[in-house]
Amino acid sequence: MSVEFAKFMNWVSASSQLWIFDGVSANSSGVQLLKLRTEILHYLRNVPSFVHPTAKVDPTATIRGNVAIDAGAQILPNASIFGPAYIGKQSVVGNYSVLRRSVFLAQNSVVGNHCYCNECVIGPSTRISHYVNFSRSIIAANSTLSAFVLTATTRADKTPVQTKSGEVSKIGCSIGPNTFIGPHTIISPDISIGARCYIAPYLNVTEDLEDDKYVHIKQTIEVRENKVSVEHRERPGNFSVSTGGPAVARHFCGALLVTDDGCFILQQRDAGENIYNSGRIGLFGGRRYTNETIAAAAKREILEETGMEISFDDQNPLADVRFFEPDGSEIQSTVFLVTKVKTSDIRQNEGRGFKVLTFEAAAYHSGVTPLARTAITEYVKQNFLSAAPV
């Protein structure tokens, strides 16, 4: 018996609450399920690193931290799992999915492609389809989350969630056993959905549902003569990253500001007809002048917009990309990285203020500019996805 296997078996025997998940969840209320989630995630803190000999982990997958992968489990190409996490017997984690920070995936369950799971408990024989965001929640045995389901964890105004057990900053939902959630459904924070429910597609669930409920939208369909025309498209746009081609219309130089706890400080831009990315949330920075070096332009822009004097190295940018404009011209963008920034260091001189966003919030905020998303993605790749595959 290997040392790793011995440690795993000791953890299994000491964590009895994990292995009675079926019986507890089948007859529990939403409050009890959320309590069970807390208990299971508490046990996960001590999970050892272990990959069962019969488990299959694709070489392109990233496994980081303490992750236990049980017998017969499959981790498909380009999946990423950040411990602590447990992947149960015969379970599957799909292509490009991310299981981040405390995930318990029980046996015989599936997390589909391109999913994001965070601080959640997923019951036995459960199916989570592709492009699902399942966070800070628990789903009981034999239930289904269809494509593009989102479990919200915060209020739009960022005020604390008034839960049944008190105020919390972030909380997801509880879903009972044998329940089906249709595609494109949003579940509000602290919602309890009972057992054997059926939620039809395109719903926003804002109230608790007791057991055995069927919910759908009644809609009126209008069919009439079409008077709207679609203009003819000559050819698709050029979406490639280019090192040549059309002339560069301007060169943006700026920086991604990151706090001590890994949040991103982004500029809330002014709104106006002649303002680039009007009203959106982007990086601090701006246009490079003729005969100005990239590092000098970034230093000047950051000083002008934040009051911080920072020197940059021309040879060490975080990202260097080009974006195409509708007229075929290009904007070259060079982004540097500044870490350990305190919001008190910033003296806002341009824009309407700044936003402090977590990676999760930035990923799902529709107002974040493409360049800011690219810079954040590159930062995450370089700092969190660089571990060697198992």
Side-chain angles (χ1 to χ4, degrees):
M1 178 186 294
S2 68
V3 175
E4 291 79 9
F5 184 67
K7 289 181 179 178
F8 174 69
M9 293 307 299
N10 288 336
W11 176 74
V12 168
S13 60
S15 309
S16 58
Q17 190 76 355
L18 298 172
W19 321 115
I20 59 173
F21 184 99
D22 284 313
V24 173
S25 65
N27 301 299
S28 297
S29 67
V31 172
Q32 291 171 318
L33 279 176
L34 288 174
K35 181 180 178 182
L36 175 63
R37 167 186 168 270
T38 300
E39 293 173 353
I40 290 177
L41 296 188
H42 175 77
Y43 283 118
L44 267 183
R45 295 176 183 175
N46 298 318
V47 64
S49 294
F50 173 72
V51 179
H52 195 278
T54 63
K56 296 181 180 179
V57 180
D58 190 89
T60 63
T62 297
I63 310 296
R64 184 168 180 175
N66 285 7
V67 177
I69 304 175
D70 218 331
Q74 299 178 60
I75 313 301
L76 300 188
N78 299 295
S80 299
I81 304 176
F82 301 92
Y86 168 75
I87 310 302
K89 297 177 180 178
Q90 309 299 328
S91 290
V92 178
V93 178
N95 300 284
Y96 293 97
S97 283
V98 177
L99 276 58
R100 177 175 174 264
R101 202 171 54 192
S102 299
V103 173
F104 180 87
L105 178 61
Q107 63 184 4
N108 301 318
S109 292
V110 174
V111 173
N113 301 334
H114 298 275
C115 291
Y116 176 84
C117 297
N118 175 43
E119 294 185 25
C120 59
V121 173
I122 301 165
S125 301
T126 290
R127 296 294 180 266
I128 294 182
S129 191
H130 51 276
Y131 295 100
V132 171
N133 183 330
F134 189 63
S135 296
R136 295 182 171 86
S137 301
I138 180 170
I139 181 169
N142 201 47
S143 289
T144 297
L145 295 180
S146 301
F148 299 99
V149 169
L150 168 65
T151 58
T153 60
T154 59
R155 290 168 50 92
D157 58 6
K158 305 302 180 184
T159 57
V161 179
Q162 302 289 335
T163 70
K164 305 168 185 69
S165 55
E167 281 191 356
V168 295
S169 58
K170 293 183 177 182
I171 190 67
C173 66
S174 63
I175 300 170
N178 302 299
T179 285
F180 177 89
I181 311 292
H184 296 277
T185 295
I186 299 174
I187 306 174
S188 295
D190 195 38
I191 290 297
S192 173
I193 297 174
R196 300 173 301 280
C197 290
Y198 183 95
I199 313 298
Y202 296 99
L203 278 171
N204 187 357
V205 182
T206 58
E207 298 179 0
D208 290 349
L209 295 172
E210 297 177 352
D211 296 347
D212 303 298
K213 297 301 180 186
Y214 178 94
V215 185
H216 73 110
I217 297 174
K218 289 185 177 180
Q219 57 182 339
T220 301
I221 298 177
E222 179 186 4
V223 179
R224 58 178 175 80
E225 182 182 356
N226 180 44
K227 297 183 179 180
V228 180
S229 61
V230 177
E231 63 179 90
H232 177 68
R233 300 180 180 92
E234 294 294 336
R235 60 181 178 85
N238 190 346
F239 293 95
S240 64
V241 177
S242 172
T243 57
V248 174
R250 69 187 184 103
H251 190 164
F252 173 93
C253 296
L256 176 65
L257 309 185
V258 184
T259 65
D260 269 335
D261 56 356
C263 293
F264 305 104
I265 305 176
L266 302 174
Q267 183 190 65
Q268 177 70 63
R269 296 183 60 78
D270 286 318
E273 184 177 346
N274 297 320
I275 295 177
Y276 192 72
N277 280 321
S278 170
R280 301 190 71 180
I281 301 170
L283 300 174
F284 290 94
R287 183 190 297 267
R288 179 170 71 95
Y289 297 145
T290 304
N291 299 324
E292 189 177 30
T293 68
I294 296 172
K299 178 179 180 179
R300 174 183 52 77
E301 286 289 343
I302 296 302
L303 179 61
E304 290 176 358
E305 297 187 355
T306 71
M308 296 190 300
E309 187 166 359
I310 300 170
S311 296
F312 298 101
D313 178 2
D314 264 349
Q315 306 304 314
N316 193 31
L318 172 67
D320 198 355
V321 296
R322 290 188 178 190
F323 291 92
F324 285 88
E325 291 292 283
D327 63 1
S329 63
E330 298 182 54
I331 294 179
Q332 183 173 343
S333 300
T334 302
V335 181
F336 295 92
L337 176 65
V338 183
T339 59
K340 299 182 179 180
V341 179
K342 297 181 176 60
T343 54
S344 58
D345 296 338
I346 298 177
R347 185 177 69 251
Q348 183 87 21
N349 298 321
E350 293 185 21
R352 293 186 290 171
F354 59 84
K355 297 276 189 182
V356 181
L357 300 179
T358 64
F359 169 72
E360 181 182 5
Y364 290 94
H365 199 304
S366 61
V368 175
T369 65
L371 178 60
R373 289 185 190 279
T374 301
I376 290 171
T377 300
E378 193 61 31
Y379 171 78
V380 171
K381 284 168 57 181
Q382 292 183 17
N383 290 274
F384 300 104
L385 300 180
S386 58
V390 173

